[in-house]
Amino acid sequence: QVQLVESGGGYVQAGGSLRLSCVASGRIFSVYAMAWYRQAPRKQRELVAAITMGGTPHYVDSVKDRFTISRDNAKNTVYLQMNSLKPVDTAVYYCNAEVVSDGGVVNDYWGPGTQVTVSS
């Protein structure tokens, strides 16, 4: 079994910063792509940023130049540094990972989410 747990969410004023972390644990052989998604009230979940196993990042246009995704493969951890936060960034942020278990099976896992609230 594999678990993802996010941390680092909270309440911040516009222009502020937060750093999210997500740790994958359990029967892991390897972790492929890792990503952050978010879901605002009454909206669909959307991809915010993703990073390959080799460290190549991808961002949705609305967060480019403000957010930075990174990972520590030794710790099975992905981070999201969020700067210049705006009220529109308010959402529940979810971690996602493609995990190869020690049995060789590849599955997609989600964390329970962490709330980010940005006040104007």
Side-chain angles (χ1 to χ4, degrees):
Q1 191 70 305
V2 174
Q3 299 85 34
L4 300 184
V5 178
E6 304 99 338
S7 62
Y11 181 94
V12 65
Q13 289 189 330
S17 299
L18 285 173
R19 188 190 194 215
L20 305 183
S21 300
C22 171
V23 181
S25 63
R27 301 183 64 175
I28 297 170
F29 175 76
S30 185
V31 181
Y32 290 162
M34 303 185 83
W36 289 96
Y37 286 74
R38 67 186 178 187
Q39 187 166 18
R42 298 175 297 282
K43 291 191 176 182
Q44 289 190 330
R45 189 173 297 189
E46 65 168 353
L47 175 66
V48 176
I51 188 166
T52 66
M53 191 175 186
T56 300
H58 166 79
Y59 301 96
V60 67
D61 286 346
S62 61
V63 307
K64 281 181 181 177
D65 300 323
R66 298 190 299 122
F67 291 9
T68 301
I69 189 170
S70 60
R71 64 188 287 171
D72 184 333
N73 290 336
K75 297 180 180 179
N76 293 327
T77 300
V78 63
Y79 306 96
L80 186 67
Q81 177 66 43
M82 304 185 293
N83 298 328
S84 302
L85 281 161
K86 305 175 181 179
V88 295
D89 295 317
T90 296
V92 177
Y93 284 69
Y94 297 91
C95 175
N96 172 267
E98 278 185 304
V99 178
V100 183
S101 70
D102 57 3
V105 177
V106 181
N107 279 312
D108 210 44
Y109 291 92
W110 292 89
T114 185
Q115 176 70 45
V116 171
T117 303
V118 184
S119 66
S120 57

